[in-house]
Amino acid sequence: MEISGAVAVGGATAVSLISTNTRAAVEAGAAVAAGGAAANGVAAEAWSPADGVAPIAGSTVRGLAVVASSSDDVDILFGSVAGNMSLAFAANVVVVVNTGSTVAEVKAATVNAAAAPGGDVVVRALHAQAVSPRAFLGSGSAGVAAGIGISVTTLSHATRAAIADAGWAAGVHGVWAGRGVEVTAMSRDTLKPDLVGAAIGTGAVSGVGIGLSAAARTTAEIQGRVSAQGGVAVRADSRLVAETLAVSVNAGLAGAGGAAVSAIILARETTATVSGGIVSAGVAGSVVVSAFGKEAVGIVVAAASV
């Protein structure tokens, strides 16, 4: 903030650079025996297939659970104000870059055995992020008042759950389950950048611009030898809410002008596959391969000058 009798300049800058990588894995060559005979099982985080993040309370697994879960919450609030008798100029710049990966996998490993298939085998990758950069700029002058604001948000995250064995045909590794096999990848993104600019003077002008880019890959995959006495489910589920608000308000005795711009670019992939190998469910079981993607986008842009 700056208030002066001659020339006033106010500026604010916010930069957030985040890169997170979360991984849970049974590595190549490992041998795991998970009988799953205990009645109570082990706690394993799970989310409901609904909008937003809705954890399932009391979720347990009797057998093997490989779960990777991550969440990012970025909330930025700032502003700049300039005022004087001659010339006032206010400027804001906010930059948010958020990248990374969340991976859960059983990778070229042996889980249980055909003669001792154990209990459930569950592989889950869960990721959520909420990003809300909010900024205000204001300038006031008996002479000329001006302001400019720029907000740029770039997001890129990969969420992957997999049972993967590229060399499955050699018959060295496999996954056996006495009940069911689940491979689930879920991502939830909420992005809400806001930018408001105002100028009041004999001459008044302000401009605001928002750019939002969101790229994501949500993948659930089985590649290898998987045998379950229950069902087999491969599910990828990604959902995004993106809402931008860009407003420019200007009032000038001699003249006023303003502009507001907002642009959203989405590049998202949601994939569920059985890409190679032998996958079998029990006599009473089923095999489900499901991919679901949903994007809800709202843009509010307004410019007013009097």
Side-chain angles (χ1 to χ4, degrees):
M1 173 185 294
E2 181 166 341
I3 299 176
S4 170
V7 176
V9 177
T13 301
V15 178
S16 174
L17 306 177
I18 300 173
S19 179
T20 59
N21 295 285
T22 305
R23 183 171 180 264
V26 178
E27 295 285 19
V32 177
N40 55 351
V42 295
E45 185 173 0
W47 294 353
S48 171
D51 292 351
V53 177
I56 299 175
S59 173
T60 59
V61 173
R62 294 168 58 196
L64 173 65
V66 181
V67 180
S69 174
S70 63
S71 63
D72 301 324
D73 192 347
V74 180
D75 193 354
I76 299 173
L77 175 62
F78 71 105
S80 62
V81 177
N84 73 355
M85 297 300 295
S86 178
L87 172 63
F89 179 76
N92 280 345
V93 177
V94 56
V95 177
V96 178
V97 179
N98 197 347
T99 64
S101 63
T102 303
V103 178
E105 61 183 340
V106 176
K107 185 178 180 181
T110 299
V111 178
N112 301 321
D120 298 305
V121 175
V122 172
V123 183
R124 294 179 185 143
L126 312 171
H127 175 69
Q129 61 183 343
V131 179
S132 301
R134 293 167 291 171
F136 168 81
L137 61 94
S139 59
S141 173
V144 177
I148 185 170
I150 299 173
S151 175
V152 177
T153 302
T154 301
L155 307 175
S156 177
H157 199 92
T159 305
R160 180 173 183 264
I163 297 175
D165 180 9
W168 68 271
V172 176
H173 307 294
V175 174
W176 287 268
R179 286 187 286 273
V181 171
E182 174 198 332
V183 179
T184 299
M186 300 180 72
S187 63
R188 299 290 184 266
D189 300 324
T190 302
L191 317 173
K192 296 183 177 182
D194 297 338
L195 184 55
V196 177
I200 300 174
T202 301
V205 60
S206 71
V208 296
I210 294 177
L212 172 60
S213 172
R217 297 183 306 279
T218 305
T219 306
E221 176 187 14
I222 289 181
Q223 179 193 36
R225 184 184 302 271
V226 175
S227 176
Q229 294 184 9
V232 177
V234 185
R235 293 190 175 95
D237 186 322
S238 71
R239 309 187 189 210
L240 172 142
V241 175
E243 299 176 354
T244 65
L245 173 67
V247 177
S248 170
V249 179
N250 308 277
L253 294 175
V261 178
S262 181
I264 297 178
I265 300 175
L266 302 180
R268 300 171 60 82
E269 297 179 6
T270 306
T271 307
T273 61
V274 175
S275 59
I278 300 173
V279 177
S280 61
V283 175
S286 301
V287 177
V288 177
V289 181
S290 172
F292 178 85
K294 179 181 179 181
E295 291 78 34
V297 177
I299 298 176
V300 176
V301 177
S305 299
V306 294

